[in-house]
Amino acid sequence: MNFTIQRYDTLGSTNSEAADQARRGATEGLCIIADRQTAGRGRNGRTWISESDSGLYFSIVLRPRSSAELIPLITLMTGVAVCDTLLEFGVKADIKWVNDLLVNGRKICGILAETVDTPLGLAVVVGIGVNLTSRNFPDEIAETATSIEAVTGRRYSANEIAEPLTRYIRYFYDILMSADGPGETISNWRRRSSFYSGKPVRVRLANGIVEGETAGLEENGALRVKTPDGSVKIIQAGDVELLREIA
Ligand code: BTN
């Protein structure tokens, strides 16, 4: 994959810009970075607060073969790539299924993968938000979020993070696209996540709540949760609104 990196001072959302360019024929590897987003999006319609120079706001266009089934695995692959990127800065993060990176239980990065219908076929836009500093956190996330600066005492720029990030995305995306890509991606995720198995969780679904213990991932990246009656519920990516350890 060849990367083209476009940098902007201000965008509504880097995901929206990447999606627009994908619709106009952008090739795989287009990366959009903004210093600030005025309409940054999180999962489930939430806002991703994106103050100037306080985070890395990054999106990449991917054009995988058979995009639809691969989406959950692309999200897992990206979590692995971000995890290894953060390690280069001395940050050891855990990956909470399916797309949150946590340090000491606080969120340092979120990932939003979206599909886009384009004249060249279905594309996937993967958006990554990494908190560089906690200084501008609003009250509502101050207790639950953290940043590279809070963890390491050092302030890094978005560009410093973007360089290893693109390198790791290339590496782990190539693995995902290879013959045993899904299996290897799940093993890579497993090695970096305490959520793979034996984790007590509560999952809020559209039609109720599932409580139990995590019991590995399905081949497509869905989460298996073993409930107290011994049955295993399969949680597909996108179904989960909340996944928390039970205190
Ligand atoms: C989440 O955890 O809810 C996902 C957050 C994803 C935020 C990033 S910031 C860059 C990209 N542009 C967006 O509008 N969202 C993603």
Side-chain angles (χ1 to χ4, degrees), residues 69-87:
E69 315 82 90
L70 276 176
I71 287 269
L73 292 169
I74 286 177
T75 303
L76 296 181
M77 174 285 288
T78 307
V80 168
V82 176
C83 198
D84 285 15
T85 301
L86 291 175
L87 259 189

Side-chain angles (χ1 to χ4, degrees), residues 12-16 37 39-44 46-48 50 56-59 99-100 107 109-112 114 126-130:
S13 155
T14 55
N15 263 34
S16 302
Q37 299 184 114
R41 291 201 303 278
R43 287 184 63 230
N44 300 320
R46 286 189 286 262
T47 300
W48 187 259
S50 310
L56 169 67
Y57 314 118
F58 172 101
S59 300
N99 69 340
D100 287 347
K107 184 158 165 171
C109 167
I111 297 163
L112 177 66
E114 299 176 306
V126 185
I128 301 169
V130 179

Side-chain angles (χ1 to χ4, degrees), residues 37-221:
Q37 299 184 114
T38 53
R41 291 201 303 278
R43 287 184 63 230
N44 300 320
R46 286 189 286 262
T47 300
W48 187 259
I49 295 154
S50 310
E51 297 290 335
S52 202
D53 297 319
S54 299
L56 169 67
Y57 314 118
F58 172 101
S59 300
I60 182 166
V61 175
L62 299 175
R63 292 191 178 275
R65 304 173 295 282
S66 64
S67 326
E69 315 82 90
L70 276 176
I71 287 269
L73 292 169
I74 286 177
T75 303
L76 296 181
M77 174 285 288
T78 307
V80 168
V82 176
C83 198
D84 285 15
T85 301
L86 291 175
L87 259 189
E88 294 216 351
F89 298 90
V91 177
K92 171 108 183 66
D94 191 10
I95 318 179
K96 187 182 82 165
W97 191 88
V98 56
N99 69 340
D100 287 347
L101 278 99
L102 309 179
V103 179
N104 298 325
R106 289 171 173 240
K107 184 158 165 171
I108 195 164
C109 167
I111 297 163
L112 177 66
E114 299 176 306
T115 49
V116 194
D117 223 352
T118 83
L120 300 175
L122 209 63
V124 181
V125 170
V126 185
I128 301 169
V130 179
N131 300 327
L132 298 175
T133 177
S134 313
R135 289 173 203 209
N136 298 318
F137 281 167
D139 290 348
E140 63 264 31
I141 63 166
E143 297 297 314
T144 54
T146 190
S147 62
I148 297 182
E149 186 182 43
V151 175
T152 65
R154 285 197 55 186
R155 181 84 176 252
Y156 292 95
S157 69
N159 284 340
E160 283 173 287
I161 313 296
E163 189 281 314
L165 179 62
T166 46
R167 186 158 31 87
Y168 281 117
I169 290 176
R170 186 202 312 263
Y171 178 75
F172 287 111
Y173 183 63
D174 283 351
I175 290 178
L176 178 57
M177 291 299 126
S178 67
D180 184 31
E184 275 201 56
T185 299
I186 286 172
S187 320
N188 284 330
W189 191 87
R190 174 184 189 166
R191 282 198 287 276
R192 291 162 180 81
S193 174
S194 71
F195 281 77
Y196 184 80
S197 66
K199 193 86 159 176
V201 291
R202 179 183 300 138
V203 183
R204 198 179 297 274
L205 302 173
N207 56 353
I209 288 177
V210 173
E211 282 190 4
E213 228 178 62
T214 59
L217 301 185
E218 295 282 289
E219 257 183 27
N220 69 355

